[in-house]
mmCIF file of all heavy atoms in Angstrom:
data_model
loop_
_atom_site.group_PDB
_atom_site.id
_atom_site.type_symbol
_atom_site.label_atom_id
_atom_site.label_comp_id
_atom_site.label_asym_id
_atom_site.label_seq_id
_atom_site.Cartn_x
_atom_site.Cartn_y
_atom_site.Cartn_z
ATOM 1 N N PRO A 16 196.863 35.470 115.410
ATOM 2 C CA PRO A 16 195.633 36.272 115.404
ATOM 3 C C PRO A 16 195.204 36.708 116.799
ATOM 4 O O PRO A 16 195.588 36.101 117.803
ATOM 5 C CB PRO A 16 194.598 35.313 114.806
ATOM 6 C CG PRO A 16 195.093 33.961 115.184
ATOM 7 C CD PRO A 16 196.592 34.057 115.092
ATOM 8 N N SER A 17 194.417 37.745 116.850
ATOM 9 C CA SER A 17 193.808 38.176 118.103
ATOM 10 C C SER A 17 192.797 37.133 118.563
ATOM 11 O O SER A 17 192.007 36.613 117.766
ATOM 12 C CB SER A 17 193.099 39.518 117.910
ATOM 13 O OG SER A 17 192.236 39.796 119.002
ATOM 14 N N LEU A 18 192.823 36.820 119.847
ATOM 15 C CA LEU A 18 191.856 35.868 120.383
ATOM 16 C C LEU A 18 190.526 36.547 120.721
ATOM 17 O O LEU A 18 189.554 35.865 121.047
ATOM 18 C CB LEU A 18 192.432 35.179 121.625
ATOM 19 C CG LEU A 18 193.680 34.330 121.374
ATOM 20 C CD1 LEU A 18 194.146 33.665 122.663
ATOM 21 C CD2 LEU A 18 193.425 33.281 120.305
ATOM 22 N N ILE A 19 190.489 37.872 120.642
ATOM 23 C CA ILE A 19 189.227 38.596 120.845
ATOM 24 C C ILE A 19 188.388 38.552 119.573
ATOM 25 O O ILE A 19 187.156 38.446 119.624
ATOM 26 C CB ILE A 19 189.512 40.047 121.289
ATOM 27 C CG1 ILE A 19 190.156 40.028 122.683
ATOM 28 C CG2 ILE A 19 188.231 40.878 121.297
ATOM 29 C CD1 ILE A 19 190.574 41.396 123.184
ATOM 30 N N SER A 20 189.056 38.607 118.430
ATOM 31 C CA SER A 20 188.333 38.474 117.156
ATOM 32 C C SER A 20 189.095 37.495 116.259
ATOM 33 O O SER A 20 189.693 37.903 115.257
ATOM 34 C CB SER A 20 188.185 39.830 116.473
ATOM 35 O OG SER A 20 189.461 40.445 116.319
ATOM 36 N N PRO A 21 189.119 36.222 116.622
ATOM 37 C CA PRO A 21 189.923 35.249 115.879
ATOM 38 C C PRO A 21 189.293 34.920 114.528
ATOM 39 O O PRO A 21 188.092 35.134 114.316
ATOM 40 C CB PRO A 21 189.906 34.021 116.793
ATOM 41 C CG PRO A 21 188.605 34.118 117.521
ATOM 42 C CD PRO A 21 188.393 35.591 117.738
ATOM 43 N N PRO A 22 190.083 34.383 113.607
ATOM 44 C CA PRO A 22 189.518 33.951 112.329
ATOM 45 C C PRO A 22 188.484 32.845 112.544
ATOM 46 O O PRO A 22 188.570 32.077 113.503
ATOM 47 C CB PRO A 22 190.733 33.400 111.571
ATOM 48 C CG PRO A 22 191.922 33.966 112.262
ATOM 49 C CD PRO A 22 191.530 34.157 113.685
ATOM 50 N N THR A 23 187.510 32.778 111.656
ATOM 51 C CA THR A 23 186.571 31.656 111.690
ATOM 52 C C THR A 23 187.279 30.415 111.148
ATOM 53 O O THR A 23 188.318 30.503 110.505
ATOM 54 C CB THR A 23 185.339 31.957 110.828
ATOM 55 O OG1 THR A 23 185.783 32.256 109.491
ATOM 56 C CG2 THR A 23 184.564 33.138 111.377
ATOM 57 N N GLY A 24 186.708 29.252 111.410
ATOM 58 C CA GLY A 24 187.305 28.023 110.912
ATOM 59 C C GLY A 24 188.630 27.739 111.579
ATOM 60 O O GLY A 24 188.802 27.905 112.789
ATOM 61 N N CYS A 25 189.610 27.320 110.777
ATOM 62 C CA CYS A 25 190.952 27.074 111.294
ATOM 63 C C CYS A 25 191.631 28.411 111.549
ATOM 64 O O CYS A 25 191.723 29.261 110.658
ATOM 65 C CB CYS A 25 191.764 26.249 110.293
ATOM 66 S SG CYS A 25 193.480 26.010 110.806
ATOM 67 N N ARG A 26 192.136 28.606 112.734
ATOM 68 C CA ARG A 26 192.736 29.894 113.086
ATOM 69 C C ARG A 26 194.087 30.119 112.421
ATOM 70 O O ARG A 26 194.598 31.244 112.428
ATOM 71 C CB ARG A 26 192.847 30.010 114.609
ATOM 72 C CG ARG A 26 191.478 30.097 115.286
ATOM 73 C CD ARG A 26 191.569 30.281 116.786
ATOM 74 N NE ARG A 26 190.239 30.481 117.364
ATOM 75 C CZ ARG A 26 190.003 30.685 118.646
ATOM 76 N NH1 ARG A 26 191.011 30.699 119.516
ATOM 77 N NH2 ARG A 26 188.771 30.862 119.085
ATOM 78 N N PHE A 27 194.664 29.099 111.824
ATOM 79 C CA PHE A 27 195.944 29.261 111.150
ATOM 80 C C PHE A 27 195.785 29.625 109.674
ATOM 81 O O PHE A 27 196.768 29.987 109.020
ATOM 82 C CB PHE A 27 196.771 27.970 111.281
ATOM 83 C CG PHE A 27 198.172 28.084 110.747
ATOM 84 C CD1 PHE A 27 199.069 29.004 111.266
ATOM 85 C CD2 PHE A 27 198.590 27.286 109.694
ATOM 86 C CE1 PHE A 27 200.361 29.127 110.748
ATOM 87 C CE2 PHE A 27 199.873 27.391 109.180
ATOM 88 C CZ PHE A 27 200.762 28.308 109.714
ATOM 89 N N TYR A 28 194.571 29.585 109.150
ATOM 90 C CA TYR A 28 194.426 29.713 107.701
ATOM 91 C C TYR A 28 194.993 31.032 107.121
ATOM 92 O O TYR A 28 195.513 31.040 105.997
ATOM 93 C CB TYR A 28 192.966 29.505 107.269
ATOM 94 C CG TYR A 28 192.098 30.732 107.256
ATOM 95 C CD1 TYR A 28 192.146 31.650 106.214
ATOM 96 C CD2 TYR A 28 191.199 30.979 108.290
ATOM 97 C CE1 TYR A 28 191.353 32.785 106.207
ATOM 98 C CE2 TYR A 28 190.400 32.106 108.296
ATOM 99 C CZ TYR A 28 190.479 33.008 107.253
ATOM 100 O OH TYR A 28 189.697 34.127 107.244
ATOM 101 N N PRO A 29 194.948 32.199 107.846
ATOM 102 C CA PRO A 29 195.523 33.408 107.227
ATOM 103 C C PRO A 29 197.025 33.299 106.971
ATOM 104 O O PRO A 29 197.566 34.041 106.140
ATOM 105 C CB PRO A 29 195.225 34.501 108.263
ATOM 106 C CG PRO A 29 194.054 33.996 109.031
ATOM 107 C CD PRO A 29 194.287 32.513 109.134
ATOM 108 N N ARG A 30 197.718 32.381 107.640
ATOM 109 C CA ARG A 30 199.165 32.231 107.472
ATOM 110 C C ARG A 30 199.531 30.944 106.737
ATOM 111 O O ARG A 30 200.718 30.669 106.537
ATOM 112 C CB ARG A 30 199.842 32.232 108.849
ATOM 113 C CG ARG A 30 199.504 33.438 109.701
ATOM 114 C CD ARG A 30 200.023 33.279 111.125
ATOM 115 N NE ARG A 30 201.470 33.369 111.223
ATOM 116 C CZ ARG A 30 202.154 33.144 112.342
ATOM 117 N NH1 ARG A 30 201.511 32.784 113.449
ATOM 118 N NH2 ARG A 30 203.461 33.235 112.357
ATOM 119 N N CYS A 31 198.558 30.147 106.384
ATOM 120 C CA CYS A 31 198.814 28.792 105.881
ATOM 121 C C CYS A 31 198.983 28.788 104.357
ATOM 122 O O CYS A 31 198.100 29.270 103.629
ATOM 123 C CB CYS A 31 197.675 27.858 106.269
ATOM 124 S SG CYS A 31 197.915 26.154 105.718
ATOM 125 N N PRO A 32 200.060 28.209 103.844
ATOM 126 C CA PRO A 32 200.265 28.175 102.395
ATOM 127 C C PRO A 32 199.331 27.213 101.662
ATOM 128 O O PRO A 32 199.236 27.272 100.435
ATOM 129 C CB PRO A 32 201.728 27.716 102.268
ATOM 130 C CG PRO A 32 202.009 26.954 103.520
ATOM 131 C CD PRO A 32 201.213 27.641 104.581
ATOM 132 N N ARG A 33 198.624 26.346 102.394
ATOM 133 C CA ARG A 33 197.733 25.378 101.753
ATOM 134 C C ARG A 33 196.259 25.701 101.998
ATOM 135 O O ARG A 33 195.389 24.897 101.700
ATOM 136 C CB ARG A 33 198.039 23.967 102.275
ATOM 137 C CG ARG A 33 199.431 23.483 101.914
ATOM 138 C CD ARG A 33 199.802 22.211 102.681
ATOM 139 N NE ARG A 33 199.052 21.053 102.248
ATOM 140 C CZ ARG A 33 199.431 20.207 101.292
ATOM 141 N NH1 ARG A 33 200.562 20.441 100.622
ATOM 142 N NH2 ARG A 33 198.704 19.154 100.985
ATOM 143 N N ALA A 34 195.976 26.870 102.554
ATOM 144 C CA ALA A 34 194.600 27.203 102.948
ATOM 145 C C ALA A 34 193.688 27.343 101.727
ATOM 146 O O ALA A 34 194.118 27.766 100.650
ATOM 147 C CB ALA A 34 194.589 28.491 103.758
ATOM 148 N N SER A 35 192.417 26.994 101.945
ATOM 149 C CA SER A 35 191.389 27.159 100.914
ATOM 150 C C SER A 35 190.137 27.730 101.573
ATOM 151 O O SER A 35 190.109 27.994 102.787
ATOM 152 C CB SER A 35 191.077 25.811 100.249
ATOM 153 O OG SER A 35 190.452 24.939 101.184
ATOM 154 N N ASP A 36 189.090 27.888 100.798
ATOM 155 C CA ASP A 36 187.853 28.459 101.330
ATOM 156 C C ASP A 36 187.276 27.618 102.460
ATOM 157 O O ASP A 36 186.693 28.160 103.409
ATOM 158 C CB ASP A 36 186.819 28.608 100.215
ATOM 159 C CG ASP A 36 187.174 29.708 99.234
ATOM 160 O OD1 ASP A 36 188.013 30.565 99.589
ATOM 161 O OD2 ASP A 36 186.622 29.711 98.114
ATOM 162 N N VAL A 37 187.420 26.297 102.387
ATOM 163 C CA VAL A 37 186.860 25.447 103.433
ATOM 164 C C VAL A 37 187.586 25.666 104.760
ATOM 165 O O VAL A 37 186.988 25.553 105.836
ATOM 166 C CB VAL A 37 186.896 23.955 103.016
ATOM 167 C CG1 VAL A 37 188.327 23.416 102.973
ATOM 168 C CG2 VAL A 37 186.044 23.104 103.961
ATOM 169 N N CYS A 38 188.873 26.015 104.696
ATOM 170 C CA CYS A 38 189.626 26.289 105.928
ATOM 171 C C CYS A 38 189.085 27.544 106.619
ATOM 172 O O CYS A 38 189.038 27.620 107.852
ATOM 173 C CB CYS A 38 191.103 26.474 105.616
ATOM 174 S SG CYS A 38 191.864 25.108 104.720
ATOM 175 N N ARG A 39 188.692 28.515 105.809
ATOM 176 C CA ARG A 39 188.135 29.754 106.343
ATOM 177 C C ARG A 39 186.744 29.512 106.940
ATOM 178 O O ARG A 39 186.369 30.137 107.929
ATOM 179 C CB ARG A 39 188.058 30.800 105.231
ATOM 180 C CG ARG A 39 187.504 32.158 105.673
ATOM 181 C CD ARG A 39 187.417 33.127 104.513
ATOM 182 N NE ARG A 39 188.743 33.460 103.983
ATOM 183 C CZ ARG A 39 189.234 32.992 102.856
ATOM 184 N NH1 ARG A 39 188.506 32.159 102.109
ATOM 185 N NH2 ARG A 39 190.434 33.333 102.442
ATOM 186 N N ALA A 40 186.016 28.575 106.383
ATOM 187 C CA ALA A 40 184.623 28.364 106.786
ATOM 188 C C ALA A 40 184.484 27.496 108.026
ATOM 189 O O ALA A 40 183.627 27.746 108.865
ATOM 190 C CB ALA A 40 183.840 27.732 105.632
#
C-alpha cells in the first residue's frame, strides 16, 4: 500500500486471506 494513504488498521489486510472487518478497523 501507499504510505501516504495507508489502509486503516492492519496494513496487510487488503492482501490477507484471513482478513475480517476487525482487521480493517
